[in-house]
Amino acid sequence: MKKRRLDSVKAYVFLSPFLFFFAFMVLYPIIKGFDLSLKGQRGARMWYVGFDNYARVLTDPKFWESFKIPAYLLLVQVPLMIFCAILIALLLEKVEGRKGATFFRLVYYIPSTIPAIVAAIIWGYMFSDSMSPFLPILNLVGFSGKLLTREIVPLVMLIIILWQLTGYTAIMIYSSLLSIPKEYTEAATLDGAGYWQIAFKIKVPIIKDMLITLFIFNAIGALQVFNEPWMLGGLVVLPTNYTPAMYIYNSAFAHGRFTYAAAMGLILAAITFIISFYFLKSATKQMFTE
């Protein structure tokens, strides 16, 4: 019993630095944000209003309109990226051990090391009406319109996010593929199965847990997207509520409605949690059924 208690004390001692920073950097801001969301504000003066801010957010049409872009990313970008990442990971596994395999892994991984703000600036330059490297080619074919308009911003965002995150996702899937025992593929090969049959009927189902985790993480990122539309907003005029994160930021720092923004942030966090929990629970239920 004494040894057990000693081991517990040692564990908490080792965890204490993490627990301290977690409490200070995560728990305290959440508690402070919740306290702030329960107050009304006019300038620097604040007063207690209870859950009035939450009621206003839930009936705010601008807040719900801001989910159009996250819904688009969730339904288009996330599945497309997972599918492309699976193909890349399978190709990387196929050339594993061959000359140049390390180089290709590095090439696919590099975009994920570039901060989202920098990536948005780079792609903003690519679609700039005055500096784009595509202008000479477009002039040759007689194109004289604007490269970046509000209508194609979602497509540009899709390109940026796919370019930046697909390689990283592929490396994660590739690592999972390498952990699959060779016996599975060898038995299938002896039965006459081809490479792609083995890949999609044996390997991909085996790493389903990893794919679900990646899907959830990317779904969270889609709901909280901010950097890309914020930077592209310097090239084309976008609504203040183009995404939920932009609406929260503009409400707080452009209009000074900090308490209202805090309530929106917590509601967005709750929506993100519910969606993530739903996908996780559905996937877990399916795995237990299988």
Side-chain angles (χ1 to χ4, degrees):
M1 184 64 72
K2 288 183 179 180
K3 185 178 183 301
R4 203 169 181 180
R5 289 179 180 175
L6 183 62
D7 290 341
S8 297
V9 170
K10 289 180 179 178
Y12 281 112
V13 169
F14 280 108
L15 285 172
S16 58
F18 165 77
L19 294 175
F20 171 77
F21 284 105
F22 179 79
F24 182 71
M25 302 297 293
V26 178
L27 291 182
Y28 175 73
I30 292 174
I31 295 171
K32 189 65 177 176
F34 178 70
D35 177 65
L36 193 65
S37 70
L38 299 177
K39 296 178 180 178
Q41 179 187 12
R42 182 170 295 143
R45 190 170 68 89
M46 295 185 183
W47 61 94
Y48 180 79
V49 295
F51 291 93
D52 286 358
N53 284 325
Y54 292 93
R56 289 171 55 203
V57 172
L58 294 176
T59 56
D60 184 353
K62 287 188 176 181
F63 178 71
W64 297 111
E65 287 172 8
S66 68
F67 281 88
K68 290 180 181 179
I69 294 299
Y72 163 76
L73 295 176
L74 186 61
L75 296 175
V76 178
Q77 175 258 318
V78 177
L80 180 60
M81 184 179 68
I82 296 291
F83 178 74
C84 293
I86 290 173
L87 293 180
I88 294 171
L90 290 169
L91 292 173
L92 289 174
E93 187 207 23
K94 193 172 184 179
V95 300
E96 172 65 22
R98 299 182 185 180
K99 188 176 180 181
T102 303
F103 170 76
F104 284 110
R105 288 200 299 271
L106 179 64
V107 168
Y108 283 117
Y109 184 75
I110 282 177
S112 65
T113 64
I114 300 174
I117 290 290
V118 177
I121 292 173
I122 293 171
W123 284 96
Y125 162 75
M126 300 288 280
F127 284 90
S128 170
D129 292 325
S130 58
M131 299 181 293
S132 173
F134 301 129
L135 286 176
I137 300 174
L138 294 173
N139 290 333
L140 287 176
V141 298
F143 179 82
S144 58
K146 291 180 68 67
L147 290 178
L148 186 64
T149 61
R150 184 184 297 183
E151 289 72 22
I152 69 168
V153 166
L155 177 61
V156 176
M157 288 175 56
L158 177 67
I159 294 171
I160 295 172
I161 296 172
L162 288 177
W163 173 80
Q164 187 175 26
L165 297 179
T166 302
Y168 171 80
T169 307
I171 295 297
M172 297 291 291
I173 298 172
Y174 163 76
S175 302
S176 297
L177 290 173
L178 293 181
S179 66
I180 298 175
K182 298 292 184 182
E183 291 80 5
Y184 292 102
T185 57
E186 289 173 355
T189 303
L190 291 174
D191 290 337
Y195 176 79
W196 293 106
Q197 286 179 310
I198 295 172
F200 285 100
K201 293 186 178 181
I202 297 177
K203 294 181 178 180
V204 172
I206 288 175
I207 63 170
K208 184 187 294 183
D209 292 354
M210 167 61 75
L211 297 178
I212 292 170
T213 303
L214 290 172
F215 181 88
I216 291 173
F217 285 161
N218 284 284
I220 293 172
L223 290 170
Q224 299 177 350
V225 65
F226 175 80
N227 292 323
E228 291 81 6
W230 179 258
M231 294 305 301
L232 292 174
L235 298 174
V236 59
V237 178
L238 297 176
T240 57
N241 65 329
Y242 196 68
T243 68
M246 282 183 65
Y247 190 38
I248 293 170
Y249 180 89
N250 285 314
S251 295
F253 297 102
H255 303 112
R257 299 188 297 171
F258 292 97
T259 59
Y260 189 68
M264 280 196 291
L266 290 172
I267 290 176
L268 176 61
I271 292 172
T272 304
F273 171 79
I274 291 170
I275 293 175
S276 303
F277 182 76
Y278 170 76
F279 281 118
L280 184 61
K281 186 177 181 180
S282 300
T284 304
K285 183 178 180 181
Q286 183 180 355
M287 285 187 289
F288 277 115
T289 302
E290 292 175 356

